[in-house]
Amino acid sequence: YDLSASQFSPDGRVFQVEYALKAVENSGTAVGIRGKDGVVFGVEKLVTSKLYEAGANKRLFNIDRHIGIATAGLMADSRAVVEIAREEASNYRYNYGLPIPLKNLTDRVSGYVHAHTLYSSVRPFGVSMILGSHTVEEGPQMYLIDPSGVSWGYHGCATGKAKQAAKTEIEKLKMKDMPIADLVKEVAKIIYIVHDEVKDKNFELELSWVGEVTGGKHELVPKNVYVEAEKFAKEALEESDDSDEEDL
Amino acid sequence: SYGALARYRNLSRVMKVNDSAAIGISGDYADYQFMKSVIEQRVIDEECLNDGFQYTPKSLFSWMTRVLYNRRSNFNPLWNTFIVGGVQDGEPFLGYIDKIGVAYNDPTIASGYGAYIAAPLLRDAFEANPKMSLAEAEKKIDECMKVLYYRDARSLNKYEVAIVTKDGTMIKSPIVSETNWEVAHMIKGYE
């Protein structure tokens, strides 16, 4: 029953979709937190070779000016879905003269992802994506779309290999009242904490934000903010290492 | 106002494209709105890619020329004259494209009545001082707009300016020239 997405199993599962979820679980963690005045994304981009150019194969994307997407899963599939999202945003702008509201974009993209779980001629996308934006009308918003095409709104979410550990860390935060400057540091810290030094040696931290501070524009976090956040994350790691040793 | 229709006195005919380019138009406003939305969408698409590249004044000029010429060749013109301006590689650029796809660039550009009235003024000023400052250029533009207001019966004393420097693009609007109509008293019938 697992050869095509058009077949249910006797116990009501669509295996192809579950396998797609497995693809997501094998990729580096992506984390998103929605705070008081903005949304921050963090991605643990696993670097499998020292020969790669730094900053290549980014997993954070822009849709229109005000929406950002963080992806986990198969890179090529991510890029295909992001391209669809960009076209949807462009079409909406053309028809309605306005930037697309995040809810509308999420609905359209989830519909597209879901459509690929209905037929035997295509395979589901092996991607989970976190979408976020900040507008004057709606404030900060964040949604997660998984390979089944289901989407939920979140205050904090994680996807990828360390999503459980990341979720635990996120739950410790009182994100609704946190300003974006604090969120950036927390996101960096969470990525550093959940990163498995043993299994995956090298990684690049990608950070992006959208909020009042950026005037509603989604962009990669500026260099000085990035450096500060990374420092905070590394120091927090050392502290917890020290406290572990004290217990011994 | 918009041509001979003095009802819409707040229509903007300049547009910021990005930090290195701006355009100004005359002609069919609907065709301008179309071009504006196409350019805006292209700029957004490019910003999304975030690859450090953006439309340069010359590349924008080249693309627009292609569009206008192709449309005219298919008997479906965009009935406009576009002026493309900006700074590229530290050098200022100004280009003119019209509805039949005629395109050229020059240190001074003017369209419509401006080609008759303002162009000579601008050319003289440029010849006398090719390295004039931004302030001097703005003053010259104000002088031209003032003369155009005096001489064009279908004009209003209100205009906008788009300024592109190496530090970015800004649009100043509305600007009202100081006019002197004292000469009217000397004209029989206008006492």
Side-chain angles (χ1 to χ4, degrees):
Chain A
Y1 307 105
D2 64 350
L3 289 177
S4 81
S6 66
Q7 293 238 308
F8 275 108
S9 75
D11 49 351
R13 295 151 75 175
V14 182
F15 279 111
Q16 278 294 304
V17 172
E18 295 190 19
Y19 296 161
L21 280 157
K22 279 267 171 297
V24 172
E25 274 162 34
N26 281 333
S27 101
T29 318
V31 154
I33 305 191
R34 190 227 289 197
K36 191 172 72 170
D37 56 352
V39 175
V40 179
F41 291 142
V43 168
E44 171 205 19
K45 189 175 76 183
L46 301 172
V47 178
T48 49
S49 164
K50 289 200 170 61
L51 296 173
Y52 288 144
E53 195 182 70
N57 289 350
K58 287 209 170 344
R59 285 171 45 190
L60 293 170
F61 300 93
N62 290 312
I63 310 293
D64 207 286
R65 290 201 169 101
H66 59 301
I67 296 177
I69 293 193
T71 63
L74 301 172
M75 253 330 259
D77 286 13
S78 311
R79 291 193 184 127
V81 182
V82 164
E83 206 42 47
I84 293 296
R86 284 175 178 160
E87 280 170 24
E88 286 293 342
S90 171
N91 266 324
Y92 188 95
R93 218 178 236 276
Y94 179 76
N95 286 319
Y96 302 105
L98 285 177
I100 188 168
L102 188 60
K103 186 90 211 0
N104 294 59
L105 181 67
T106 307
D107 287 344
R108 289 178 187 210
V109 176
S110 356
Y112 185 78
V113 170
H114 171 246
H116 287 70
T117 66
L118 298 169
Y119 311 105
S120 57
S121 53
V122 290
R123 66 163 173 79
F125 289 101
V127 184
S128 269
M129 49 187 49
I130 312 176
L131 298 84
S133 86
H134 180 95
T135 57
V136 174
E137 300 88 12
E138 307 277 341
Q141 293 193 293
M142 192 169 71
Y143 292 90
L144 170 65
I145 305 177
D146 68 25
S148 63
V150 161
S151 66
W152 293 90
Y154 286 91
H155 286 281
C157 65
T159 177
K161 37 170 57 135
K163 69 171 184 232
Q164 270 312 116
K167 279 186 191 164
T168 320
E169 290 301 318
I170 292 174
E171 277 166 20
K172 294 181 188 164
L173 301 172
K174 282 208 155 73
M175 48 216 136
K176 284 189 210 170
D177 301 312
M178 283 174 75
I180 204 172
D182 291 345
L183 281 181
V184 180
K185 297 201 201 127
E186 292 298 332
V187 166
K189 185 175 116 183
I190 292 173
I191 295 282
Y192 266 86
I193 290 177
V194 305
H195 172 67
D196 189 340
E197 267 304 311
V198 178
K199 291 203 198 125
D200 314 303
K201 303 286 164 52
N202 251 346
F203 84 103
E204 260 179 49
L205 167 69
E206 280 184 62
L207 283 175
S208 74
W209 61 358
V210 54
E212 269 177 44
V213 67
T214 68
K217 183 174 192 296
H218 176 260
E219 54 188 28
L220 294 177
V221 140
K223 190 126 195 273
N224 57 323
V225 178
Y226 180 89
V227 162
E228 216 199 303
E230 236 196 339
K231 199 169 91 148
F232 176 86
K234 288 184 175 156
E235 280 168 7
L237 255 191
E238 278 170 23
E239 265 175 34
S240 66
D241 281 348
D242 287 339
S243 68
D244 285 343
E245 282 163 19
E246 275 167 27
D247 289 341
L248 288 172
Chain B
S1 71
Y2 179 49
L5 180 60
R7 180 182 164 181
Y8 302 106
R9 286 176 281 197
N10 238 344
L11 279 185
S12 176
R13 292 192 286 122
V14 293
M15 172 194 168
K16 169 179 170 171
V17 173
N18 58 32
D19 286 321
S20 61
I23 60 174
I25 66 100
S26 71
D28 188 294
Y29 202 73
D31 282 348
Y32 163 60
Q33 285 173 324
F34 169 71
M35 185 61 115
K36 182 170 188 279
S37 70
V38 171
I39 293 178
E40 273 172 359
Q41 188 59 58
R42 279 177 162 252
V43 171
I44 288 175
D45 292 344
E46 171 185 79
E47 280 178 18
C48 273
L49 296 175
N50 202 201
D51 56 5
F53 289 101
Q54 53 171 228
Y55 280 104
T56 65
K58 290 183 191 174
S59 64
L60 183 67
F61 179 70
S62 176
W63 175 75
M64 286 174 71
T65 305
R66 286 297 105 239
V67 171
L68 257 49
Y69 179 72
N70 271 286
R71 294 274 311 233
R72 88 101 204 225
S73 302
N74 288 316
F75 295 99
N76 182 205
L78 287 166
W79 206 275
N80 296 106
T81 306
F82 289 97
I83 296 185
V84 180
V87 177
Q88 183 161 342
D89 302 322
E91 296 294 317
F93 173 85
L94 262 182
Y96 165 106
I97 320 167
D98 68 19
K99 60 174 153 321
I100 52 174
V102 168
Y104 51 84
N105 58 277
D106 199 58
T108 63
I109 294 276
S111 71
Y113 269 109
Y116 298 93
I117 297 174
L121 295 172
L122 293 172
R123 284 176 189 158
D124 279 349
F126 184 76
E127 210 178 319
N129 182 7
K131 291 201 192 335
M132 74 172 86
S133 68
L134 178 59
E136 291 172 307
E138 282 185 78
K139 202 152 156 280
K140 212 61 188 153
I141 293 281
D142 184 71
E143 188 191 310
C144 291
M145 298 309 285
K146 193 188 326 206
V147 176
L148 283 165
Y149 171 54
Y150 286 139
R151 292 292 173 177
D152 179 359
R154 278 170 282 213
S155 59
L156 279 183
N157 186 10
K158 184 157 61 142
Y159 66 94
E160 340 165 77
V161 179
I163 299 176
V164 187
T165 60
K166 63 172 170 44
D167 304 318
T169 306
M170 66 163 148
I171 299 193
K172 285 189 183 172
S173 160
I175 306 181
V176 177
S177 305
E178 284 201 19
T179 55
N180 180 348
W181 293 95
E182 289 305 308
V183 73
H185 296 301
M186 298 182 215
I187 296 169
K188 194 168 163 152
Y190 271 83
E191 282 86 37

